[in-house]
Amino acid sequence: MEIITDASKIEELLTRGIEDSIQREHLLDKLSRGVKLKIKFGIDPTSPHIHLGRAVPLRKLRRFQELGHEIILVVGDFTAQIGDPSDKLLRRPMLSEDDVHTNMKGYKETLGKILDIDSVTFLYNSSWLTGLSMKKLTELAEIFSVQQMLARRNFKTRYETGTEISLREFLYPIFQGYDSFHIASDVEIGGSDQLFNLKAGRTIQKYLGQSEQDILTTKMLRGTDGRKMSSAWGNVISISDAPQEMFGRTMSLRDELIGEYLLLSTDTLLSEIKEHEKGIEDGHVNPRDVKLLLAERIVALYHGAGAAQFAREAFLDTFSRGKPKETEAILARKDERLEDVLLKHKIVSSRSSLRRLLLAGAIRVYRDGIETPLSNLSGAVEEEMLVRVGKKKFITIKNPPL
């Protein structure tokens, strides 16, 4: 494939959504001269789903791909069992081989929603890390210090608070760094939480006499509630979500995150993003209207324009132009707790089931056509509220007549 050296495309590639750039000028020079580069991205199959946060660096890979560069995707079937400690404030549990292989099912199909999968080189790091000798591992460990490891923000916090750190976690960046040496990568991309691991690749490449890779890290996309994106908190939007679910989850986004999502999760022009942000800030634009635009563009990226338009119309029909056609009506006093109401009317079978749904973000309330996941159910019911429990059960709660 021909290498494209369009200056504006290269500039956007190196700036939009980028947090860190190591050896930027070196990389810019090679891109401008049309040097074909080997772009590495590592992905550990620790979950069967890929959410919009993990899609940010993948979308950057697509831009490199469009410029004609070689994409090497290192599937961490070995490192996933070790567990990446990046940005983790508790020890990460080890995964079994079965866990990893289960999570890997459907990965290529999902990644194909972003990348031209036929031109991606897939490599599995178990093929070289499993056979790494103790002698070589000891040699590589010698070029890193405990002080370097403890300087990492998450390790520093855990050490200062007395939270356990395993030696296994110290080995992770060595393994990821060795991946870069093994494939002789020119550039490695990752989220900003991966910077230490990516720099470990440069360290090992230099030590073993190889040219050091350039590095790009992307900004971290926050979850829909403003916290770190985590499946455990139910604040994620997965790229494999059905169109209407993806649309609805996007509409539950906090208003202050709209610009961030337009920047990192769509191809919206920067000038347009600034206009939307200014309009919201000045009060001339309703955030909900921009959010509808955002949701439609995100769905269109992964499901096509037709599905996006249908999801928009379905959302408006359900939550703006009227209530869902099939809802279960419940009468409850204003002094009753929502938790007690759902249990009393057998909407859920037990408190433990209720907690699981709550943790997964599967209990949501609709206000002014906007869906918001509830963080707890201790509050009293409102005069009239529409609640969704799970994917399809809608409950209308009203106060009894006086």
Side-chain angles (χ1 to χ4, degrees):
M1 182 178 176
E2 180 188 357
I3 302 299
I4 297 172
T5 57
D6 183 284
S8 62
K9 290 182 178 179
I10 291 173
E11 176 65 18
E12 183 173 25
L13 173 72
L14 297 180
T15 55
R16 180 169 180 150
I18 294 296
E19 183 77 21
D20 305 287
S21 181
I22 308 297
Q23 295 292 85
R24 183 185 187 279
E25 293 305 314
H26 181 249
L27 176 55
L28 174 60
D29 176 64
K30 288 189 289 186
L31 290 169
S32 301
R33 289 190 291 111
V35 178
K36 185 165 186 174
L37 301 174
K38 194 181 290 185
I39 316 296
K40 173 200 170 191
F41 181 74
I43 184 165
D44 283 356
T46 52
S47 164
H49 305 292
I50 297 174
H51 56 58
L52 287 186
R54 297 179 78 182
V56 174
L58 288 168
R59 283 167 47 77
K60 190 63 69 174
L61 281 183
R62 176 70 190 212
R63 297 294 170 259
F64 272 105
Q65 201 172 39
E66 290 167 351
L67 293 180
H69 299 285
E70 181 183 3
I71 305 302
I72 299 182
L73 203 151
V74 178
V75 179
D77 57 335
F78 180 90
T79 44
Q81 296 177 65
I82 303 298
D84 183 3
S86 299
D87 207 33
K88 297 292 181 292
L89 298 180
L90 292 173
R91 183 197 282 200
R92 189 168 197 159
M94 294 184 71
L95 295 180
S96 69
E97 281 190 56
D98 288 343
D99 291 333
V100 171
H101 289 303
T102 297
N103 290 341
M104 283 171 59
K105 291 177 181 176
Y107 249 49
K108 284 191 179 182
E109 181 182 354
T110 305
L111 290 167
K113 291 178 175 289
I114 300 174
L115 301 171
D116 175 5
I117 213 70
D118 292 333
S119 63
V120 172
T121 300
F122 280 87
L123 298 175
Y124 297 81
N125 64 13
S126 64
S127 65
W128 59 84
L129 291 179
T130 301
L132 194 67
S133 69
M134 288 297 293
K135 183 177 184 299
K136 176 61 73 173
L137 180 57
T138 303
E139 179 187 346
L140 296 175
E142 180 63 21
I143 62 178
F144 297 91
S145 69
V146 171
Q147 285 84 354
Q148 281 178 298
M149 297 292 181
L150 290 179
R152 298 185 69 175
R153 182 186 63 81
N154 58 320
F155 281 160
K156 184 174 184 290
T157 301
R158 287 162 64 181
Y159 182 73
E160 290 174 348
T161 58
T163 304
E164 197 173 58
I165 305 170
S166 74
L167 290 176
R168 163 179 61 92
E169 294 176 283
F170 279 3
L171 294 176
Y172 187 92
I174 298 175
F175 289 130
Q176 183 171 330
Y178 190 77
D179 290 348
S180 295
F181 166 76
H182 183 83
I183 68 171
S185 63
D186 297 308
V187 183
E188 184 168 12
I189 296 177
S192 59
D193 62 331
Q194 289 290 310
L195 182 59
F196 187 93
N197 294 339
L198 274 54
K199 290 170 75 173
R202 286 175 57 85
T203 300
I204 291 175
Q205 285 176 314
K206 182 179 181 180
Y207 176 76
L208 295 176
Q210 193 177 89
S211 297
E212 299 167 69
Q213 64 187 12
D214 299 324
I215 291 172
L216 289 177
T217 68
T218 54
K219 296 179 184 297
M220 300 294 288
L221 185 70
R222 286 177 286 174
T224 54
D225 58 0
R227 296 182 293 173
K228 182 181 181 298
M229 193 170 282
S230 170
S231 298
W233 290 338
N235 63 356
V236 304
I237 303 168
S238 295
I239 67 174
S240 56
D241 283 344
Q244 286 177 247
E245 182 179 6
M246 183 180 284
F247 197 101
R249 285 182 178 274
T250 304
M251 291 303 295
S252 73
L253 190 73
R254 292 171 69 101
D255 291 350
E256 63 266 26
L257 300 177
I258 293 173
E260 182 179 318
Y261 272 68
L262 282 169
L263 175 69
L264 299 178
S265 298
T266 76
D267 298 323
T268 304
L269 294 175
L270 298 178
S271 57
E272 184 185 341
I273 294 173
K274 287 180 181 177
E275 283 183 23
H276 290 313
E277 289 180 322
K278 186 175 187 306
I280 292 171
E281 184 180 349
D282 294 345
H284 298 145
V285 175
N286 187 334
R288 179 178 173 280
D289 294 335
V290 184
K291 212 178 292 186
L292 283 166
L293 174 72
L294 169 65
E296 188 170 355
R297 288 182 180 175
I298 289 176
V299 175
L301 277 174
Y302 300 107
H303 297 285
Q309 181 62 33
F310 182 86
R312 178 190 175 106
E313 290 302 309
F315 180 87
L316 291 172
D317 283 342
T318 302
F319 303 117
S320 298
R321 298 168 184 156
K323 296 175 183 175
K325 294 177 181 178
E326 294 184 10
T327 66
E328 182 174 343
I330 289 175
L331 294 178
R333 301 186 311 275
K334 279 188 179 182
D335 60 349
E336 289 188 82
R337 297 193 319 161
L338 183 55
E339 178 179 6
D340 296 330
V341 171
L342 295 178
L343 286 167
K344 182 173 72 175
H345 291 272
K346 300 188 181 339
I347 304 302
V348 289
S349 58
S350 65
R351 291 189 188 277
S352 59
S353 297
L354 198 60
R355 283 192 294 272
R356 282 195 298 272
L357 287 166
L358 198 65
L359 186 63
I363 299 180
R364 295 169 174 256
V365 64
Y366 292 88
R367 297 184 181 92
D368 300 321
I370 303 299
E371 180 188 55
T372 306
L374 291 172
S375 57
N376 66 74
L377 300 172
S378 59
V381 299
E382 300 169 11
E383 183 175 349
E384 181 173 339
M385 59 193 306
L386 176 63
V387 179
R388 176 161 69 91
V389 180
K391 290 187 176 181
K392 299 180 179 178
K393 186 178 290 186
F394 291 91
I395 314 298
T396 301
I397 302 176
K398 294 182 178 182
N399 298 150
L402 297 175

